[in-house]
Amino acid sequence: QVQLVESGGGLVQPGGSLKLSCAASGLTFSSYRMSWYRQAPGKERKERELVARITSTRVTINYADSVKGRFTISRDNAMNTVYLQMNSLKPEDTAVYYCNAHSIVGTTEYWGQGTQVTVSS
């Protein structure tokens, strides 16, 4: 059974930092492209925003324009874990952050349960 378990969310003041982790199990981690999405308050699932994405070999990394220069995605294939370092957080970063695994070949994908990030003073 595939599981993606996010952790590291919480309440932080504007300008602060958080590091999210997503531990994967039940899949061949190196065969999956890993991404972080977020769903802002009041938005529907279909409106989830891609925040950052990293390929299995880390050759290609993409970021949403809104987080470039502030967020860093990384992965540890030996630990089956993907991270999202978030710095200089803004209130508009408030959302539930979801981990996503998408197979390199085919269309198989998995989602985590999400972790809440709230940026507020």
Side-chain angles (χ1 to χ4, degrees), residues 51-67:
V51 176
R53 173 170 291 162
I54 185 169
T55 55
S56 62
T57 56
R58 311 178 192 85
V59 170
T60 302
I61 296 175
N62 303 109
Y63 295 99
D65 288 343
S66 57
V67 308

